[in-house]
Amino acid sequence: MQILIAEDEPRIAAFIEKGLRANGFATEIATTASDVLSRVMGSEFDLLILDLGLPEKDGLEVLEELRGQGCQIPIVILTARDDIQAKVAGLEGGADDYMTKPFRFEELLARVRLRLRTQSITAAQEDLILSVGDVVLDLRTRKATVGNKTIELPAREFTLAEMFFRHPGQVLSRQQLLDRVWGYDYDPGSNVVDVYIGYLRRKLGSKLFETVRGMGYRLKS
Ligand code: CA
């Protein structure tokens, strides 16, 4: 999980960074409003901790710009401003949470974790339908469709297909697939993955799964 800390006071930024890293998060620090905007729009952060008193622009304006551009990143405001107007403006402006300084790190961590969890539940609900081209996997019904034709897949084939559809364009090795799809339930050195890829090619499309020599397979994206 990647967290951007927007904070112009080095001591506070370092304090938050140290705590988050100790809890397994990757972090970056942005110290100005424009730095925050370009970094959030330019890369994949899972959450933004936003100070309101930033150089160049007020944090509330940064928030407005991000939400105005359709940016959905969870945002926790962390600020010395404890007036109710700022809090209301922050929450109405699309922040997910609001915390005032001075603060205890444990509380910030709890709020960060809560926001990330809410986010992943929403993402999981959106991910119930996976598709590449005209092939669709419906995770609720565990059925596949190609164009308008429904294809019944046995459980193991469906799970294997799901692995690929969750990582389109990514090479998955035989070992990864054995571990994730078969668990302990396989013969080491068996060619079961290749056999099952064969089944999926026949049912979902012969060109869908690319063989990457010496590495594994990749779903064309
Ligand atoms: Ca500040």
Side-chain angles (χ1 to χ4, degrees), residues 24-190:
F25 294 98
T27 54
E28 281 182 36
I29 295 173
T31 55
T32 65
S34 57
D35 194 16
V36 177
L37 288 167
S38 64
R39 287 214 218 182
V40 171
M41 301 313 276
S43 55
E44 299 267 312
F45 287 100
D46 299 292
L47 186 135
L48 168 65
I49 295 174
L50 179 64
D51 176 29
L52 294 186
L54 286 173
E56 297 170 3
K57 254 183 215 170
D58 189 83
L60 288 173
E61 286 176 68
V62 173
L63 175 67
E64 193 184 318
E65 257 181 68
L66 288 174
R67 293 306 189 221
Q69 290 175 47
C71 176
Q72 309 257 324
I73 186 172
I75 297 176
V76 176
I77 290 177
L78 179 62
T79 177
R81 290 177 59 181
D82 58 359
D83 54 301
I84 192 74
Q85 289 90 340
K87 187 167 186 177
V88 168
L91 294 172
E92 287 196 338
D96 299 275
D97 207 342
Y98 193 103
M99 251 188 94
T100 49
K101 298 171 186 165
F103 65 100
R104 292 188 56 123
F105 180 75
E106 290 72 24
E107 186 182 351
L108 177 65
L109 180 65
R111 290 179 188 240
V112 163
R113 284 193 170 136
L114 174 68
R115 289 306 142 200
L116 289 171
R117 197 156 56 228
T118 316
Q119 181 77 357
S120 66
I121 290 167
T122 318
Q125 282 165 346
E126 282 165 5
D127 276 355
L128 287 171
I129 305 276
L130 304 172
S131 67
V132 167
D134 64 346
V135 184
V136 177
L137 294 187
D138 186 330
L139 303 184
R140 289 161 304 189
T141 60
R142 309 287 291 174
K143 278 190 178 140
T145 50
V146 179
N148 46 22
K149 199 167 142 217
T150 302
I151 314 278
E152 299 280 350
L153 293 178
R156 192 90 80 184
E157 289 173 40
F158 191 92
T159 307
L160 180 62
E162 183 185 340
M163 273 288 287
F164 281 97
F165 276 67
R166 285 197 183 278
H167 306 97
Q170 203 174 308
V171 179
L172 301 177
S173 70
R174 286 179 181 78
Q175 193 58 51
Q176 278 175 318
L177 294 166
L178 284 170
D179 291 344
R180 303 281 288 276
V181 179
W182 277 267
Y184 293 106
D185 187 16
Y186 68 89
D187 241 352
S190 81

